[in-house]
Amino acid sequence: MEPDRQETIDVLNEILELELAGAVRYTQYALMVFGHARIPIIDWMRKQTDEALMHASTVGEEVTTLGGKVSLGIGKLVGTHHDHVDEMMEEMLTHERAGVELYRKLLRLTEGKSVSLEELAREMVRNEELHIAEIEKMLRKRGDA
């Protein structure tokens, strides 16, 4: 039994659009950071940009492997300038949670039907959950347990 091809392509394209938007989002946020912790924060954001582009490329390759056309769209972009890094992190948290949900949707579509896509979905869910945990830790204040 194979997953529904068109539905799988549609979900992969949703993920592609979200990952591309994430790359833009992290790039934009890196340009907004000022203050004494700027260098490590923008370094982390730039790494997230690179990773989002890699994920977009991987997912796009899966779309074409299935015979589909890669979406030319891009997900929701940053619409607000933020004065505080915490505000940026909160938006990133929302973005990463949306990614987890899309990868879980892909997992539900492919589970037991495509080992390759199922493994990709599981790996990405894990990856995005780690991002969420990292952002949540970054949002903690010193002394928080």
Side-chain angles (χ1 to χ4, degrees):
M1 180 195 282
E2 291 190 17
D4 180 280
R5 191 176 78 69
Q6 190 56 53
E7 189 175 5
T8 303
I9 289 169
D10 291 345
V11 171
L12 287 166
N13 271 323
E14 280 184 78
I15 293 168
L16 173 69
E17 291 177 6
L18 184 81
E19 292 289 4
L20 289 173
V24 172
R25 178 180 301 261
Y26 280 109
T27 299
Q28 289 173 324
Y29 284 150
L31 298 169
M32 294 179 196
V33 176
F34 295 96
H36 66 276
R38 181 176 192 274
I39 292 171
I41 292 171
I42 65 171
D43 182 57
W44 178 82
M45 288 180 179
R46 288 177 179 158
K47 287 178 183 170
Q48 297 307 305
T49 298
D50 293 343
E51 189 171 303
L53 288 173
M54 185 177 66
H55 291 173
S57 181
T58 299
V59 169
E61 289 293 343
E62 294 295 342
V63 169
T64 59
T65 296
L66 291 170
K69 292 186 179 182
V70 176
S71 172
L72 298 177
I74 189 166
K76 184 179 176 187
L77 299 175
V78 175
T80 306
H81 284 275
H82 295 292
D83 295 322
H84 304 285
V85 172
D86 284 1
E87 294 168 347
M88 293 176 211
M89 294 292 179
E90 290 289 346
E91 276 197 19
M92 288 179 212
L93 201 51
T94 300
H95 174 82
E96 296 292 342
R97 286 179 176 147
V100 167
E101 288 310 309
L102 282 175
Y103 283 115
R104 284 186 178 151
K105 187 175 181 179
L106 178 63
L107 179 59
R108 286 190 299 274
L109 277 172
T110 60
E111 200 165 24
K113 299 174 185 172
S114 169
V115 172
S116 177
L117 288 171
E118 182 180 342
E119 288 301 316
L120 173 67
R122 287 183 189 284
E123 178 184 337
M124 295 307 219
V125 166
R126 168 93 170 119
N127 200 314
E128 300 299 328
E129 285 179 346
L130 289 173
H131 289 167
I132 289 168
E134 193 64 32
I135 294 169
E136 287 173 341
K137 288 177 187 179
M138 292 169 78
L139 283 167
R140 289 184 194 166
K141 304 298 178 214
R142 287 185 185 212
D144 286 353

